[in-house]
Amino acid sequence: MRRDPRRDSSRNARREVLAISSSSPRYWPLGVHHRCHRRPRRRPVVEGDGMRVVVVGGGIGGLALAAGLRRRNFGVTVFDRDREVRATGGYHITLDGRARTALAELVAPEVMERLLASASALRLRDRDAFWDHRGRLLGHGPDLGQDAGIDVDRITLRTRLAEAVGDDLHLGRTVSGVGHDEHGAPQVRFTDAPPVTADLVVGADGVHSLVARHLAGGPTNSPAGVIGFSGRTSLGDLSPREQRRLGPRSGLALGPRGTALYVGFLDPVGNAVLDAPELRMSVTTGPTYIWGAMLPESVATDALRGLRAGALRAALLDRFRQRGWAGSTLEVVARADPRSVAAFRFNAASTRAADLAPWPAGPVTALGDAVHATPPTAGMGAGAAIRDAAALLEQLSEVAGGVTTLPEAVGRFEAGMRRRGSEVLTLAMEGVRLILASDTAGGTDTAGGRAPRIP
């Protein structure tokens, strides 16, 4: 792949890592050459002051929070039912500039450096493309040349965060409930171990959060009406013609009867954010398309969720061909590694801020998809969870510094999370509604020519 003159040099990119990691929250990276000439304020290290936090769930948001708490000397323990960090669904995470800055506030500079060496820079991609179901180009997205966002494998990101949390992460632990001990302190209970008491319990346990359900008295989200399918296809496995059509960019194709195919381009080697091969730890080792196909939920499409590997890939291709998709546009699916193909349901919380975290602030709270479950149609769910984590850490630092009380801090955190969650959900649901609106005999004509945001 050709060398792009916009690429970071190792020296400048490392300066960016250090600057972001030590900056005030008002400092935002604008690319490798900073446009802010004011020297960033360094934050003092805030001691945890003996506060003990238990995080339920070791996904992206939970691990990001725990890494930040540990870095600021809070007592923190994370419990997750997975037995291996790499045992995680999904393949592709986009972090916009806000999420990237928040992450740099949570992890040490050397952790951020390794992550950026293992991530793909959005600004090094070509402009995103919109296609129809026959492969005809409909238009392009905005210029990404100044975009501070990054793309990274979910496994890569989760592994780097788990390393930052270290021995405070306990895998293979299944939480059975949340309650209080005899003194009124919040308590996490397990199926096969004694309960653990803390000053604060944070539910970061995803769409089916036990903690959020406990707080809300019921589910905090519901099916969005779309079934998603994902997989990985190496660039070299595609025909030369399709390589040229797709190019080094992400794209979205919309088709009849509620069908859509997102194709995300990830190249943490050729398009590395930080050109430091000695620090690279990505599970993706070359240019790869990480795609997501979407179909309206029905009895027929829901049945596909029971299939695996090659059988799932074949059934998915059959469904799209039945809906009029040209064979060439499906090549990225047909040539995917069958072991990578998986199916999952889109769930979504309410887009109304007032409906999110509908409980009084106290010593038990939640963040990320546990509160604002977000379909992947805007590529912002993981980033929002990381921003939640950074916001909660700031509030807890105020408590540790004697500036405020825990209930007040949690209340302010939850108020900000409601606004943040409503924002990302509104964007994500635009894509979901467009897919569902085209599930008619008229196909994509009912969508009025609109296209959702490409992650």
Side-chain angles (χ1 to χ4, degrees), residues 26-65:
R26 290 188 294 276
Y27 177 78
W28 293 69
L30 296 175
V32 66
H33 299 294
H34 304 311
R35 303 184 188 274
C36 177
H37 298 291
R38 183 183 61 190
R39 185 179 181 85
R41 287 189 297 111
R42 285 191 177 274
R43 292 168 177 259
V45 176
V46 180
E47 298 294 332
D49 196 30
M51 184 184 300
R52 185 73 183 171
V53 182
V54 168
V55 180
V56 178
I60 303 304
L63 290 177
L65 173 63

Side-chain angles (χ1 to χ4, degrees), residues 1 71 104 152 174 249 252 278 328 394 444:
M1 180 170 293
R71 188 181 177 203
V152 62
T174 302
R249 60 190 172 193
L252 179 70
E278 72 279 6
S328 59
E394 288 305 301
T444 54

Side-chain angles (χ1 to χ4, degrees), residues 23-373:
S23 65
S24 77
R26 290 188 294 276
Y27 177 78
W28 293 69
L30 296 175
V32 66
H33 299 294
H34 304 311
R35 303 184 188 274
C36 177
H37 298 291
R38 183 183 61 190
R39 185 179 181 85
R41 287 189 297 111
R42 285 191 177 274
R43 292 168 177 259
V45 176
V46 180
E47 298 294 332
D49 196 30
M51 184 184 300
R52 185 73 183 171
V53 182
V54 168
V55 180
V56 178
I60 303 304
L63 290 177
L65 173 63
L69 289 168
R70 177 168 172 157
R71 188 181 177 203
R72 296 202 187 182
N73 300 316
F74 285 82
V76 60
T77 308
V78 184
F79 297 103
D80 193 272
R81 65 184 179 182
D82 287 345
R83 296 189 178 277
E84 296 181 11
V85 171
R86 295 172 65 92
T88 181
Y91 306 101
H92 183 211
I93 285 179
T94 297
L95 302 181
D96 64 15
R98 296 172 298 177
R100 177 177 168 178
T101 301
L103 186 59
E105 292 285 334
L106 294 164
V107 302
E110 58 270 19
V111 176
M112 196 68 186
E113 195 174 27
R114 288 196 297 272
L115 177 64
L116 295 184
S118 307
S120 182
L122 265 64
R123 62 187 180 79
L124 296 178
R125 288 186 346 206
D126 289 353
R127 292 173 64 188
D128 297 331
F130 295 99
W131 312 88
D132 71 6
H133 61 294
R134 298 189 181 280
R136 293 173 294 197
L137 183 64
L138 303 177
H140 289 97
D143 188 339
L144 300 172
Q146 298 300 314
D147 197 310
I150 65 174
D151 284 331
V152 62
D153 282 298
R154 179 180 291 271
I155 293 174
T156 298
L157 178 57
R158 193 185 189 199
T159 302
R160 300 288 79 79
L161 291 175
E163 290 171 353
V165 176
D167 293 339
D168 292 326
L169 171 61
H170 298 267
L171 298 171
R173 297 290 296 275
T174 302
V175 174
S176 62
V178 178
H180 296 83
D181 66 9
E182 62 272 20
H183 304 294
Q187 189 178 72
V188 176
R189 297 160 185 164
F190 303 91
T191 58
D192 55 357
V196 174
T197 301
D199 298 297
L200 176 69
V201 171
V202 182
D205 44 344
V207 170
H208 304 294
S209 172
L210 183 150
V211 177
R213 182 183 287 266
H214 162 80
L215 287 166
T220 56
N221 57 77
S222 59
V226 173
I227 300 294
F229 307 84
S230 59
R232 299 171 61 98
T233 309
S234 295
L235 176 68
D237 289 337
L238 296 175
S239 66
R241 178 181 178 278
E242 196 63 3
Q243 289 183 33
R244 289 192 298 271
R245 185 181 77 87
L246 293 178
R249 60 190 172 193
S250 294
L252 179 70
L254 297 173
R257 297 174 58 191
T259 51
L261 177 63
Y262 163 70
V263 182
F265 181 75
L266 179 66
D267 186 5
V269 177
N271 282 2
V273 181
L274 173 61
D275 191 11
E278 72 279 6
L279 299 176
R280 188 178 300 132
M281 300 178 178
S282 175
V283 299
T284 298
T285 57
T288 302
Y289 292 109
I290 298 179
W291 52 265
M294 290 155 276
L295 288 167
E297 186 166 4
S298 67
V299 174
T301 55
D302 197 48
L304 300 183
R305 296 172 61 202
L307 302 177
R308 297 290 182 272
L312 176 57
R313 185 181 63 180
L316 178 62
L317 288 167
D318 184 58
R319 291 290 193 283
F320 270 70
R321 287 166 181 150
Q322 289 176 7
R323 286 162 170 78
W325 283 65
S328 59
T329 61
L330 299 175
E331 185 179 318
V332 71
V333 177
R335 300 198 178 186
D337 178 355
R339 297 167 300 178
S340 72
V341 183
F344 54 96
R345 168 185 279 154
F346 288 5
N347 278 56
S350 169
T351 58
R352 296 182 64 250
D355 295 337
L356 303 176
W359 52 73
V364 181
T365 188
L367 57 73
D369 274 346
V371 176
H372 45 79

Side-chain angles (χ1 to χ4, degrees), residues 15-29:
R15 286 175 182 165
E16 181 183 14
V17 173
L18 295 174
I20 297 171
S21 300
S22 60
S23 65
S24 77
R26 290 188 294 276
Y27 177 78
W28 293 69

